[in-house]
């Protein structure tokens, strides 16, 4: 993997981390501000947060493997 590919993957990891953090913030806001009344939002926000965190973790693992050589 070339330097350009590594840079692109690093950029993707940073983007995915930002997205995961945004979903985590929404989950936090749900818990802090809107529960128990908005309990029906739990599954959707939780799944989206999980998916975003998983995408970040997968990309981070690909980056780590590529950096090792």
């Amino acid at each position: 993997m070339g330097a350009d590919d590594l840079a692109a993957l690093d950029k993707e990891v940073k983007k995915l981390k930002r997205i995961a953090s945004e979903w985590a913030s929404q989950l936090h806001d749900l818990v802090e501000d809107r529960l128990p009344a908005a309990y029906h939002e739990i599954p959707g926000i939780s799944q989206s947060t999980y998916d975003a965190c998983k995408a970040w973790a997968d990309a981070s693992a690909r980056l780590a493997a590529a950096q090792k050589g």
Side-chain angles (χ1 to χ4, degrees):
M1 182 174 277
D4 289 342
D5 295 330
L6 280 174
L9 187 52
D10 184 56
K11 185 176 179 178
E12 179 185 359
V13 168
K14 289 176 182 173
K15 176 185 170 189
L16 291 171
K17 183 175 183 179
R18 179 186 50 79
I19 292 169
S21 294
E22 289 171 1
W23 278 109
S25 179
Q26 287 187 42
L27 185 60
H28 176 268
D29 290 347
L30 174 64
V31 170
E32 287 287 315
D33 301 330
R34 300 192 312 272
L35 287 182
Y39 70 92
H40 59 279
E41 295 180 37
I42 293 171
I45 292 176
S46 297
Q47 186 65 54
S48 294
T49 303
Y50 175 86
D51 293 344
C53 290
K54 177 84 168 87
W56 168 78
D58 292 346
S60 293
R62 286 194 312 272
L63 177 60
Q67 288 172 332
K68 285 185 179 181

PDB file of all heavy atoms in Angstrom, residues 12-36:
ATOM      1  N   GLU A  12     -10.089   8.475   6.070  1.00  0.00           N
ATOM      2  CA  GLU A  12     -11.356   7.749   6.245  1.00  0.00           C
ATOM      3  C   GLU A  12     -11.584   7.404   7.714  1.00  0.00           C
ATOM      4  O   GLU A  12     -12.693   7.553   8.235  1.00  0.00           O
ATOM      5  CB  GLU A  12     -11.368   6.477   5.404  1.00  0.00           C
ATOM      6  CG  GLU A  12     -12.640   5.672   5.569  1.00  0.00           C
ATOM      7  CD  GLU A  12     -12.633   4.333   4.838  1.00  0.00           C
ATOM      8  OE1 GLU A  12     -11.642   4.009   4.160  1.00  0.00           O
ATOM      9  OE2 GLU A  12     -13.632   3.611   4.967  1.00  0.00           O
ATOM     10  N   VAL A  13     -10.530   6.953   8.398  1.00  0.00           N
ATOM     11  CA  VAL A  13     -10.639   6.611   9.820  1.00  0.00           C
ATOM     12  C   VAL A  13     -11.061   7.839  10.624  1.00  0.00           C
ATOM     13  O   VAL A  13     -11.944   7.756  11.491  1.00  0.00           O
ATOM     14  CB  VAL A  13      -9.312   6.018  10.354  1.00  0.00           C
ATOM     15  CG1 VAL A  13      -9.313   5.935  11.866  1.00  0.00           C
ATOM     16  CG2 VAL A  13      -9.072   4.641   9.749  1.00  0.00           C
ATOM     17  N   LYS A  14     -10.448   8.972  10.336  1.00  0.00           N
ATOM     18  CA  LYS A  14     -10.799  10.206  11.057  1.00  0.00           C
ATOM     19  C   LYS A  14     -12.240  10.609  10.795  1.00  0.00           C
ATOM     20  O   LYS A  14     -12.956  11.034  11.713  1.00  0.00           O
ATOM     21  CB  LYS A  14      -9.839  11.322  10.672  1.00  0.00           C
ATOM     22  CG  LYS A  14      -8.453  11.114  11.232  1.00  0.00           C
ATOM     23  CD  LYS A  14      -7.484  12.174  10.764  1.00  0.00           C
ATOM     24  CE  LYS A  14      -6.094  11.869  11.331  1.00  0.00           C
ATOM     25  NZ  LYS A  14      -5.070  12.762  10.774  1.00  0.00           N
ATOM     26  N   LYS A  15     -12.688  10.471   9.556  1.00  0.00           N
ATOM     27  CA  LYS A  15     -14.072  10.795   9.208  1.00  0.00           C
ATOM     28  C   LYS A  15     -15.039   9.869   9.935  1.00  0.00           C
ATOM     29  O   LYS A  15     -16.041  10.315  10.503  1.00  0.00           O
ATOM     30  CB  LYS A  15     -14.266  10.685   7.695  1.00  0.00           C
ATOM     31  CG  LYS A  15     -15.691  10.896   7.236  1.00  0.00           C
ATOM     32  CD  LYS A  15     -15.833  10.642   5.751  1.00  0.00           C
ATOM     33  CE  LYS A  15     -17.301  10.605   5.356  1.00  0.00           C
ATOM     34  NZ  LYS A  15     -17.479  10.152   3.980  1.00  0.00           N
ATOM     35  N   LEU A  16     -14.732   8.579   9.925  1.00  0.00           N
ATOM     36  CA  LEU A  16     -15.608   7.608  10.588  1.00  0.00           C
ATOM     37  C   LEU A  16     -15.632   7.815  12.096  1.00  0.00           C
ATOM     38  O   LEU A  16     -16.670   7.617  12.738  1.00  0.00           O
ATOM     39  CB  LEU A  16     -15.185   6.182  10.230  1.00  0.00           C
ATOM     40  CG  LEU A  16     -15.430   5.796   8.771  1.00  0.00           C
ATOM     41  CD1 LEU A  16     -14.777   4.459   8.453  1.00  0.00           C
ATOM     42  CD2 LEU A  16     -16.921   5.766   8.456  1.00  0.00           C
ATOM     43  N   LYS A  17     -14.512   8.237  12.667  1.00  0.00           N
ATOM     44  CA  LYS A  17     -14.482   8.522  14.110  1.00  0.00           C
ATOM     45  C   LYS A  17     -15.378   9.714  14.427  1.00  0.00           C
ATOM     46  O   LYS A  17     -16.106   9.708  15.426  1.00  0.00           O
ATOM     47  CB  LYS A  17     -13.055   8.788  14.576  1.00  0.00           C
ATOM     48  CG  LYS A  17     -12.969   9.009  16.070  1.00  0.00           C
ATOM     49  CD  LYS A  17     -11.547   9.159  16.542  1.00  0.00           C
ATOM     50  CE  LYS A  17     -11.519   9.309  18.050  1.00  0.00           C
ATOM     51  NZ  LYS A  17     -10.153   9.446  18.551  1.00  0.00           N
ATOM     52  N   ARG A  18     -15.338  10.738  13.580  1.00  0.00           N
ATOM     53  CA  ARG A  18     -16.195  11.907  13.776  1.00  0.00           C
ATOM     54  C   ARG A  18     -17.671  11.510  13.697  1.00  0.00           C
ATOM     55  O   ARG A  18     -18.480  11.924  14.530  1.00  0.00           O
ATOM     56  CB  ARG A  18     -15.879  12.980  12.733  1.00  0.00           C
ATOM     57  CG  ARG A  18     -16.748  14.231  12.870  1.00  0.00           C
ATOM     58  CD  ARG A  18     -16.517  15.219  11.747  1.00  0.00           C
ATOM     59  NE  ARG A  18     -16.576  14.661  10.414  1.00  0.00           N
ATOM     60  CZ  ARG A  18     -17.704  14.385   9.758  1.00  0.00           C
ATOM     61  NH1 ARG A  18     -18.883  14.573  10.329  1.00  0.00           N
ATOM     62  NH2 ARG A  18     -17.661  13.900   8.528  1.00  0.00           N
ATOM     63  N   ILE A  19     -18.014  10.685  12.719  1.00  0.00           N
ATOM     64  CA  ILE A  19     -19.401  10.234  12.572  1.00  0.00           C
ATOM     65  C   ILE A  19     -19.833   9.412  13.787  1.00  0.00           C
ATOM     66  O   ILE A  19     -20.929   9.604  14.323  1.00  0.00           O
ATOM     67  CB  ILE A  19     -19.569   9.438  11.260  1.00  0.00           C
ATOM     68  CG1 ILE A  19     -19.407  10.370  10.063  1.00  0.00           C
ATOM     69  CG2 ILE A  19     -20.928   8.725  11.218  1.00  0.00           C
ATOM     70  CD1 ILE A  19     -19.282   9.665   8.722  1.00  0.00           C
ATOM     71  N   ALA A  20     -18.962   8.517  14.247  1.00  0.00           N
ATOM     72  CA  ALA A  20     -19.282   7.707  15.431  1.00  0.00           C
ATOM     73  C   ALA A  20     -19.473   8.598  16.650  1.00  0.00           C
ATOM     74  O   ALA A  20     -20.390   8.379  17.455  1.00  0.00           O
ATOM     75  CB  ALA A  20     -18.184   6.675  15.674  1.00  0.00           C
ATOM     76  N   SER A  21     -18.632   9.613  16.782  1.00  0.00           N
ATOM     77  CA  SER A  21     -18.754  10.538  17.913  1.00  0.00           C
ATOM     78  C   SER A  21     -20.065  11.316  17.852  1.00  0.00           C
ATOM     79  O   SER A  21     -20.688  11.569  18.892  1.00  0.00           O
ATOM     80  CB  SER A  21     -17.570  11.505  17.934  1.00  0.00           C
ATOM     81  OG  SER A  21     -16.382  10.809  18.198  1.00  0.00           O
ATOM     82  N   GLU A  22     -20.477  11.688  16.648  1.00  0.00           N
ATOM     83  CA  GLU A  22     -21.753  12.402  16.497  1.00  0.00           C
ATOM     84  C   GLU A  22     -22.929  11.520  16.917  1.00  0.00           C
ATOM     85  O   GLU A  22     -23.855  11.983  17.592  1.00  0.00           O
ATOM     86  CB  GLU A  22     -21.920  12.885  15.062  1.00  0.00           C
ATOM     87  CG  GLU A  22     -20.986  14.015  14.701  1.00  0.00           C
ATOM     88  CD  GLU A  22     -20.992  14.361  13.226  1.00  0.00           C
ATOM     89  OE1 GLU A  22     -21.738  13.731  12.443  1.00  0.00           O
ATOM     90  OE2 GLU A  22     -20.227  15.266  12.848  1.00  0.00           O
ATOM     91  N   TRP A  23     -22.905  10.247  16.517  1.00  0.00           N
ATOM     92  CA  TRP A  23     -23.970   9.325  16.928  1.00  0.00           C
ATOM     93  C   TRP A  23     -23.934   9.096  18.429  1.00  0.00           C
ATOM     94  O   TRP A  23     -24.984   9.038  19.083  1.00  0.00           O
ATOM     95  CB  TRP A  23     -23.888   8.007  16.163  1.00  0.00           C
ATOM     96  CG  TRP A  23     -24.531   8.098  14.822  1.00  0.00           C
ATOM     97  CD1 TRP A  23     -23.912   8.105  13.612  1.00  0.00           C
ATOM     98  CD2 TRP A  23     -25.930   8.230  14.555  1.00  0.00           C
ATOM     99  NE1 TRP A  23     -24.839   8.237  12.613  1.00  0.00           N
ATOM    100  CE2 TRP A  23     -26.089   8.316  13.159  1.00  0.00           C
ATOM    101  CE3 TRP A  23     -27.058   8.293  15.356  1.00  0.00           C
ATOM    102  CZ2 TRP A  23     -27.333   8.448  12.553  1.00  0.00           C
ATOM    103  CZ3 TRP A  23     -28.308   8.419  14.760  1.00  0.00           C
ATOM    104  CH2 TRP A  23     -28.431   8.503  13.371  1.00  0.00           C
ATOM    105  N   ALA A  24     -22.732   8.975  18.989  1.00  0.00           N
ATOM    106  CA  ALA A  24     -22.612   8.786  20.440  1.00  0.00           C
ATOM    107  C   ALA A  24     -23.181  10.002  21.175  1.00  0.00           C
ATOM    108  O   ALA A  24     -23.831   9.854  22.215  1.00  0.00           O
ATOM    109  CB  ALA A  24     -21.157   8.559  20.824  1.00  0.00           C
ATOM    110  N   SER A  25     -22.967  11.174  20.626  1.00  0.00           N
ATOM    111  CA  SER A  25     -23.515  12.393  21.222  1.00  0.00           C
ATOM    112  C   SER A  25     -25.045  12.383  21.183  1.00  0.00           C
ATOM    113  O   SER A  25     -25.699  12.782  22.152  1.00  0.00           O
ATOM    114  CB  SER A  25     -22.971  13.613  20.481  1.00  0.00           C
ATOM    115  OG  SER A  25     -23.503  14.792  21.026  1.00  0.00           O
ATOM    116  N   GLN A  26     -25.597  11.915  20.067  1.00  0.00           N
ATOM    117  CA  GLN A  26     -27.059  11.824  19.981  1.00  0.00           C
ATOM    118  C   GLN A  26     -27.608  10.837  21.002  1.00  0.00           C
ATOM    119  O   GLN A  26     -28.657  11.079  21.620  1.00  0.00           O
ATOM    120  CB  GLN A  26     -27.486  11.407  18.572  1.00  0.00           C
ATOM    121  CG  GLN A  26     -27.319  12.495  17.552  1.00  0.00           C
ATOM    122  CD  GLN A  26     -27.906  12.107  16.217  1.00  0.00           C
ATOM    123  OE1 GLN A  26     -28.985  11.520  16.145  1.00  0.00           O
ATOM    124  NE2 GLN A  26     -27.193  12.436  15.153  1.00  0.00           N
ATOM    125  N   LEU A  27     -26.904   9.723  21.171  1.00  0.00           N
ATOM    126  CA  LEU A  27     -27.325   8.727  22.163  1.00  0.00           C
ATOM    127  C   LEU A  27     -27.255   9.322  23.565  1.00  0.00           C
ATOM    128  O   LEU A  27     -28.168   9.150  24.377  1.00  0.00           O
ATOM    129  CB  LEU A  27     -26.450   7.477  22.047  1.00  0.00           C
ATOM    130  CG  LEU A  27     -26.816   6.293  22.931  1.00  0.00           C
ATOM    131  CD1 LEU A  27     -28.229   5.800  22.639  1.00  0.00           C
ATOM    132  CD2 LEU A  27     -25.816   5.162  22.718  1.00  0.00           C
ATOM    133  N   HIS A  28     -26.184  10.049  23.837  1.00  0.00           N
ATOM    134  CA  HIS A  28     -26.027  10.701  25.139  1.00  0.00           C
ATOM    135  C   HIS A  28     -27.165  11.696  25.378  1.00  0.00           C
ATOM    136  O   HIS A  28     -27.751  11.731  26.468  1.00  0.00           O
ATOM    137  CB  HIS A  28     -24.669  11.405  25.200  1.00  0.00           C
ATOM    138  CG  HIS A  28     -24.458  12.172  26.455  1.00  0.00           C
ATOM    139  ND1 HIS A  28     -24.774  13.501  26.572  1.00  0.00           N
ATOM    140  CD2 HIS A  28     -23.965  11.796  27.651  1.00  0.00           C
ATOM    141  CE1 HIS A  28     -24.495  13.910  27.788  1.00  0.00           C
ATOM    142  NE2 HIS A  28     -23.990  12.888  28.473  1.00  0.00           N
ATOM    143  N   ASP A  29     -27.459  12.508  24.366  1.00  0.00           N
ATOM    144  CA  ASP A  29     -28.537  13.488  24.506  1.00  0.00           C
ATOM    145  C   ASP A  29     -29.879  12.805  24.752  1.00  0.00           C
ATOM    146  O   ASP A  29     -30.692  13.297  25.544  1.00  0.00           O
ATOM    147  CB  ASP A  29     -28.639  14.368  23.265  1.00  0.00           C
ATOM    148  CG  ASP A  29     -27.458  15.310  23.129  1.00  0.00           C
ATOM    149  OD1 ASP A  29     -26.676  15.469  24.105  1.00  0.00           O
ATOM    150  OD2 ASP A  29     -27.296  15.884  22.029  1.00  0.00           O
ATOM    151  N   LEU A  30     -30.107  11.694  24.093  1.00  0.00           N
ATOM    152  CA  LEU A  30     -31.338  10.938  24.318  1.00  0.00           C
ATOM    153  C   LEU A  30     -31.432  10.515  25.774  1.00  0.00           C
ATOM    154  O   LEU A  30     -32.459  10.724  26.426  1.00  0.00           O
ATOM    155  CB  LEU A  30     -31.389   9.713  23.401  1.00  0.00           C
ATOM    156  CG  LEU A  30     -32.549   8.742  23.619  1.00  0.00           C
ATOM    157  CD1 LEU A  30     -33.885   9.412  23.321  1.00  0.00           C
ATOM    158  CD2 LEU A  30     -32.366   7.495  22.766  1.00  0.00           C
ATOM    159  N   VAL A  31     -30.363   9.952  26.287  1.00  0.00           N
ATOM    160  CA  VAL A  31     -30.359   9.465  27.669  1.00  0.00           C
ATOM    161  C   VAL A  31     -30.494  10.621  28.658  1.00  0.00           C
ATOM    162  O   VAL A  31     -31.276  10.547  29.604  1.00  0.00           O
ATOM    163  CB  VAL A  31     -29.067   8.653  27.949  1.00  0.00           C
ATOM    164  CG1 VAL A  31     -28.920   8.341  29.424  1.00  0.00           C
ATOM    165  CG2 VAL A  31     -29.057   7.372  27.134  1.00  0.00           C
ATOM    166  N   GLU A  32     -29.747  11.680  28.432  1.00  0.00           N
ATOM    167  CA  GLU A  32     -29.724  12.802  29.371  1.00  0.00           C
ATOM    168  C   GLU A  32     -30.989  13.655  29.340  1.00  0.00           C
ATOM    169  O   GLU A  32     -31.427  14.134  30.376  1.00  0.00           O
ATOM    170  CB  GLU A  32     -28.519  13.697  29.075  1.00  0.00           C
ATOM    171  CG  GLU A  32     -27.200  13.102  29.489  1.00  0.00           C
ATOM    172  CD  GLU A  32     -26.989  13.091  30.985  1.00  0.00           C
ATOM    173  OE1 GLU A  32     -27.276  14.124  31.636  1.00  0.00           O
ATOM    174  OE2 GLU A  32     -26.541  12.055  31.495  1.00  0.00           O
ATOM    175  N   ASP A  33     -31.534  13.862  28.153  1.00  0.00           N
ATOM    176  CA  ASP A  33     -32.569  14.885  28.011  1.00  0.00           C
ATOM    177  C   ASP A  33     -33.963  14.388  27.675  1.00  0.00           C
ATOM    178  O   ASP A  33     -34.936  15.054  27.992  1.00  0.00           O
ATOM    179  CB  ASP A  33     -32.162  15.892  26.915  1.00  0.00           C
ATOM    180  CG  ASP A  33     -30.846  16.571  27.214  1.00  0.00           C
ATOM    181  OD1 ASP A  33     -30.502  16.743  28.395  1.00  0.00           O
ATOM    182  OD2 ASP A  33     -30.134  16.920  26.238  1.00  0.00           O
ATOM    183  N   ARG A  34     -34.060  13.237  26.997  1.00  0.00           N
ATOM    184  CA  ARG A  34     -35.372  12.884  26.458  1.00  0.00           C
ATOM    185  C   ARG A  34     -35.989  11.613  27.009  1.00  0.00           C
ATOM    186  O   ARG A  34     -37.156  11.332  26.723  1.00  0.00           O
ATOM    187  CB  ARG A  34     -35.289  12.819  24.927  1.00  0.00           C
ATOM    188  CG  ARG A  34     -34.863  14.159  24.325  1.00  0.00           C
ATOM    189  CD  ARG A  34     -35.037  14.256  22.833  1.00  0.00           C
ATOM    190  NE  ARG A  34     -34.533  13.163  22.054  1.00  0.00           N
ATOM    191  CZ  ARG A  34     -33.292  13.068  21.590  1.00  0.00           C
ATOM    192  NH1 ARG A  34     -32.404  13.990  21.853  1.00  0.00           N
ATOM    193  NH2 ARG A  34     -32.934  12.042  20.848  1.00  0.00           N
ATOM    194  N   LEU A  35     -35.232  10.833  27.748  1.00  0.00           N
ATOM    195  CA  LEU A  35     -35.826   9.622  28.331  1.00  0.00           C
ATOM    196  C   LEU A  35     -36.520   9.979  29.630  1.00  0.00           C
ATOM    197  O   LEU A  35     -36.109  10.912  30.305  1.00  0.00           O
ATOM    198  CB  LEU A  35     -34.752   8.565  28.582  1.00  0.00           C
ATOM    199  CG  LEU A  35     -34.191   7.875  27.348  1.00  0.00           C
ATOM    200  CD1 LEU A  35     -33.170   6.833  27.750  1.00  0.00           C
ATOM    201  CD2 LEU A  35     -35.271   7.236  26.494  1.00  0.00           C
ATOM    202  N   PRO A  36     -37.539   9.299  30.016  1.00  0.00           N
ATOM    203  CA  PRO A  36     -38.115   8.110  29.425  1.00  0.00           C
ATOM    204  C   PRO A  36     -39.128   8.377  28.313  1.00  0.00           C
ATOM    205  O   PRO A  36     -39.547   7.449  27.619  1.00  0.00           O
ATOM    206  CB  PRO A  36     -38.774   7.401  30.593  1.00  0.00           C
ATOM    207  CG  PRO A  36     -39.181   8.498  31.513  1.00  0.00           C
ATOM    208  CD  PRO A  36     -38.127   9.567  31.344  1.00  0.00           C
TER     209      PRO A  36
END
